[in-house]
Amino acid sequence: MITKRIIPCLDVKDGRVVKGVNFLGLADVSSPVKLAEYYSRCGADELVFYDITASAEGRTLFTDILREAASTIFIPLTVGGGINTVEDFDRVLKCGADKVSVNSGAIKDPQLIFDAAKRYGSQCVVLSVDAKRVDGHYRVFAKGGREDTGMDAIEWIKKGVDLGAGELVLNSIDTDGVKQGFDLEMLAAACDAVSIPVIASGGAGGIGDFVTLFKTLPKVDAGLAASIFHFGEVTIDDLKNTLSENDILVRR
């Protein structure tokens, strides 16, 4: 059985880690470099680094901060934000990323997924989808959750996998920052639709939410969270101990 991964997420704006609720009301948290180093030491399995306003502001990702953060950690690093071309993949990978997350850039040009997977391999291409319920359907949102694309989220996920994405991060805007648990219904629909690794994002409020996630949806490969880790509400060590006690395999 494959071990479940625990992944802290660094949402970076203007060079600082921030966190909000439902993608709104962003508050300053800490330095991304300091947090990255902390999580690498404290047992995180991977780290996700999102430059959350790069796409909305029409610019490229902060490579100086990324390069510094990557140099301090010894766990896989996934990076996203402002990834619009294969050249952006190349630039981010050269800064120390192991995988590259595409979202708005792939929505604008789905060929980006295919081209990047062909050049770097599917294992390098992570499809990040920000989804929200609209009139009873899961809808894809772009530009950091600011723009309703009108696209069906599950159909978009299937297309992204067909084009070569090797991993999926599904961010539920409905549960983001609310701390009432992961969006199990939305995640179940995604797990039923594709066979690649699925990372659950949005809604973790405590250790019990991870237990519920992995017990309810064994197909989910990893749980991603931000504020509960950033503010010390949950330590990764305590989380992994509890998961082990519940017969959920984790890396130690």
Side-chain angles (χ1 to χ4, degrees):
M1 187 180 293
I2 298 175
T3 56
K4 303 302 185 184
R5 292 172 287 152
I6 303 302
I7 307 175
C9 176
L10 307 184
D11 291 328
V12 180
K13 180 178 186 291
D14 298 329
R16 297 285 293 179
V17 176
V18 296
K19 191 68 190 96
V21 177
N22 301 129
F23 284 34
L24 302 171
L26 300 176
D28 183 86
V29 176
S30 183
S31 153
V33 177
K34 289 182 179 179
L35 271 184
E37 184 181 17
Y38 168 76
Y39 288 129
S40 183
R41 285 189 286 105
C42 291
D45 296 303
E46 297 185 18
L47 196 63
V48 169
F49 180 114
Y50 287 137
D51 187 339
I52 59 171
T53 56
S55 291
E57 294 171 4
R59 58 169 173 78
T60 57
L61 183 141
F62 292 122
T63 50
D64 52 342
I65 295 171
L66 170 59
R67 190 177 289 107
E68 188 178 356
S71 70
T72 68
I73 67 174
F74 301 96
I75 54 177
L77 174 64
T78 298
V79 176
I83 307 297
N84 296 295
T85 66
V86 174
E87 287 69 33
D88 290 329
F89 267 78
D90 189 64
R91 181 170 49 83
V92 169
L93 291 169
K94 285 177 177 175
C95 287
D98 299 281
K99 294 181 278 188
V100 181
S101 176
V102 291
N103 190 329
S104 295
I107 291 169
K108 287 186 291 185
D109 180 17
Q111 184 69 21
L112 173 62
I113 298 172
F114 179 84
D115 292 343
K118 185 176 181 180
R119 179 176 296 189
Y120 301 108
S122 290
Q123 80 287 343
C124 182
V125 183
V126 179
L127 178 62
S128 179
V129 177
D130 297 330
K132 182 178 181 179
R133 289 168 179 78
V134 178
D135 298 328
H137 299 281
Y138 303 128
R139 197 79 63 79
V140 176
F141 279 68
K143 297 183 179 178
R146 297 169 179 80
E147 182 180 288
D148 184 352
T149 67
M151 296 164 54
D152 180 84
I154 302 304
E155 292 306 311
W156 169 235
I157 288 168
K158 289 179 182 177
K159 181 175 181 178
V161 173
D162 288 342
L163 286 168
E167 192 167 74
L168 167 68
V169 175
L170 181 56
N171 312 297
S172 173
I173 297 174
D174 294 321
T175 61
D176 175 74
V178 180
K179 298 185 179 181
Q180 296 296 312
F182 291 98
D183 197 327
L184 301 178
E185 182 183 51
M186 186 185 292
L187 287 161
C191 287
D192 288 343
V194 298
S195 58
I196 63 169
V198 174
I199 299 172
S201 173
I207 290 175
D209 292 328
F210 286 87
V211 175
T212 299
L213 170 69
F214 294 131
K215 287 285 190 181
T216 306
L217 300 174
K219 288 183 179 180
V220 169
D221 288 78
L224 182 150
S227 57
I228 62 167
F229 295 141
H230 298 342
F231 298 120
E233 298 165 35
V234 171
T235 69
I236 292 173
D237 194 47
D238 286 345
L239 172 55
K240 288 191 171 184
N241 285 338
T242 301
L243 291 173
S244 293
E245 290 165 4
N246 283 272
D247 300 317
I248 297 167
L249 291 180
V250 292
R251 299 172 186 174
R252 305 306 302 235

